[in-house]
Amino acid sequence: MRGVVLHGPGDIRVEDRPDPEIVEPTDAIIRVTAACVCGSDLWPYRGIDRGDGPSPMGHEYVGVVERVGDQVGTIKVGDFVVGSFFASDNTCEICQAGYQSRCVHAQPIGPFGTQAQYARIPLADGTLVATPGQPDADLVPSLLAASDVLGTGWFAAVAAEAGPGKTVAVVGDGAVGLLGVLAARHLGAERVVIFSRHADRQKLAADFGATDVITERGDQGVAQLKELTNGLGAHSVIEAVGTQESMMQAIRSTRPGGHVGYVGVSHDVQLPGEELFFSGVHLHGGPAPVRRFLPRLIELIWDRRIDPGKVFDLDLPLEQAAEGYRAMDERRAIKTLLRPQH
């Protein structure tokens, strides 16, 4: 099969990879209908996260089940499925508490590489959720968003306790932050403020329900947010970047007693204990338990009540993946959708 492989910083190639096989009786093989490039894929692409040798890429996916292992009971051949970027059994105590990304048997999907024509998905019954039928073509991008960026933005909004009467601030105007705006509004937030310097992202944020834009970053951005909130800060803040600056901006933007939902993949973030102690804020986040939210998100998409697929502003054949990575790296695209040819 054809699949995307990272050979080194900036070196993305689409090449022949071995067809996936059933390894464990709980596996499924899916024919990938659509995959995409994640902001977290840019860390190794830029050489910030270093791997050992060529690495298959991709952890977001939707597709049709082609084969299942003999212990797969609920997912059937022919199902159109959406899965999380972490495989989970969905039955252990941690999963039952709603934290499937930290399942006692959790397996990251990234090493399997879903930017490909086919993919092996372990723990299929606990990881995959079938849609009510075969989706209309225009729903596929939104269902793909549910696999990671929508589920992650949703978890961030839930972790930040976004809800009616709340002011929510969003640090990070990438796909996750933008879909955090959508989630916060859907959860009833009264006001959603996004920190953004890019007109195309500001427009999409407004489409998703943002009420205010702040173009400053860091402490200047915090000061502007406080001006908007009677000097108090936001009730809920979504952190969707993962750097020291973004985390401190999120904490400082939150009023005492407020909540930060952090989902940006952490890179060298260190929290100053004394400031954290006196901030009085709640911190909650980590790898999003997308599987917890998938049934609800699929229902909202299927009923056309939300349209997260608008976050994809570049749609390419899988063979042009290198351009998709370049466009996101150069901020010419918010998020690249990749379509394997079969």
Side-chain angles (χ1 to χ4, degrees):
M1 69 171 183
R2 302 290 284 169
V4 175
V5 178
L6 177 69
H7 283 263
D11 185 3
I12 284 285
R13 306 178 200 175
V14 183
E15 55 194 38
D16 290 335
R17 288 180 47 206
D19 291 340
E21 299 291 340
I22 299 287
V23 176
E24 301 290 340
T26 49
D27 290 347
I29 306 297
I30 65 167
R31 182 175 78 252
V32 179
T33 302
C36 52
V37 182
C38 184
S40 64
D41 292 331
L42 297 181
W43 294 103
Y45 180 77
R46 291 167 173 162
I48 297 168
D49 289 350
R50 296 197 175 273
D52 298 320
S55 303
M57 295 297 288
H59 53 263
E60 300 160 280
Y61 55 97
V62 294
V64 178
V65 177
E66 294 256 308
R67 284 179 286 152
V68 296
D70 59 17
Q71 289 182 22
V72 176
T74 59
I75 296 298
K76 306 183 304 297
V77 171
D79 282 348
F80 189 95
V81 291
V82 185
S84 169
F85 59 89
F86 264 102
S88 59
D89 59 30
N90 208 35
T91 58
C92 76
E93 287 187 39
I94 305 301
C95 286
Q96 290 297 296
Y99 290 86
Q100 290 91 336
S101 57
R102 307 309 303 140
C103 171
V104 297
H105 298 116
Q107 293 184 55
I109 296 293
F112 296 94
T114 60
Q115 293 167 10
Q117 290 177 300
Y118 298 90
R120 171 187 162 224
I121 308 299
L123 302 172
D125 280 338
T127 304
L128 301 173
V129 178
T131 57
Q134 296 300 312
D136 294 338
D138 67 318
L139 288 183
V140 168
S142 287
L143 292 168
L144 176 61
S147 179
D148 182 351
V149 284
L150 174 61
T152 296
W154 204 275
F155 173 58
V158 169
E161 300 213 350
K166 299 283 186 73
T167 293
V168 180
V170 180
V171 180
D173 64 356
V176 169
L178 290 165
L179 290 171
V181 170
L182 181 154
R185 286 295 278 183
H186 193 84
L187 292 167
E190 184 174 303
R191 193 173 193 182
V192 180
V193 184
I194 189 164
F195 293 94
S196 175
R197 295 176 170 179
H198 302 88
D200 56 337
R201 295 164 191 250
Q202 293 170 7
K203 180 181 182 305
L204 191 52
D207 288 349
F208 286 150
T211 56
D212 301 86
V213 173
I214 293 175
T215 57
E216 299 300 325
R217 293 180 181 171
D219 289 343
Q220 290 177 300
V222 171
Q224 288 203 17
L225 180 71
K226 293 220 169 154
E227 282 185 30
L228 292 177
T229 55
N230 299 318
L232 299 176
H235 301 91
S236 306
V237 179
I238 291 170
E239 190 286 315
V241 183
T243 63
Q244 181 74 24
E245 181 186 50
S246 64
M247 181 62 98
M248 295 315 301
Q249 182 177 327
I251 291 170
R252 291 167 181 166
S253 295
T254 309
R255 66 179 60 196
H259 294 75
V260 176
Y262 59 92
V263 292
V265 180
S266 180
H267 283 76
D268 299 320
V269 173
Q270 296 188 350
L271 301 180
E274 187 174 1
E275 181 175 350
L276 187 61
F277 182 79
F278 284 104
S279 70
V281 306
H282 303 74
L283 297 179
H284 183 38
V290 169
R291 179 62 181 80
R292 185 207 305 184
F293 304 107
L294 273 181
R296 177 67 173 144
L297 298 181
I298 289 170
E299 179 185 11
L300 290 170
I301 292 164
W302 202 262
D303 294 343
R304 297 181 182 273
R305 293 174 58 194
I306 58 173
D307 185 13
K310 289 194 289 189
V311 80
F312 295 105
D313 56 347
L314 183 58
D315 192 322
L316 294 173
L318 182 72
E319 294 293 330
Q320 295 179 32
E323 167 56 20
Y325 274 78
R326 275 194 302 273
M328 284 180 63
D329 180 45
E330 296 166 6
R331 297 185 78 88
R332 291 184 285 112
I334 298 171
K335 193 164 178 68
T336 301
L337 189 147
L338 300 173
R339 297 185 187 267
Q341 307 299 305
H342 293 281

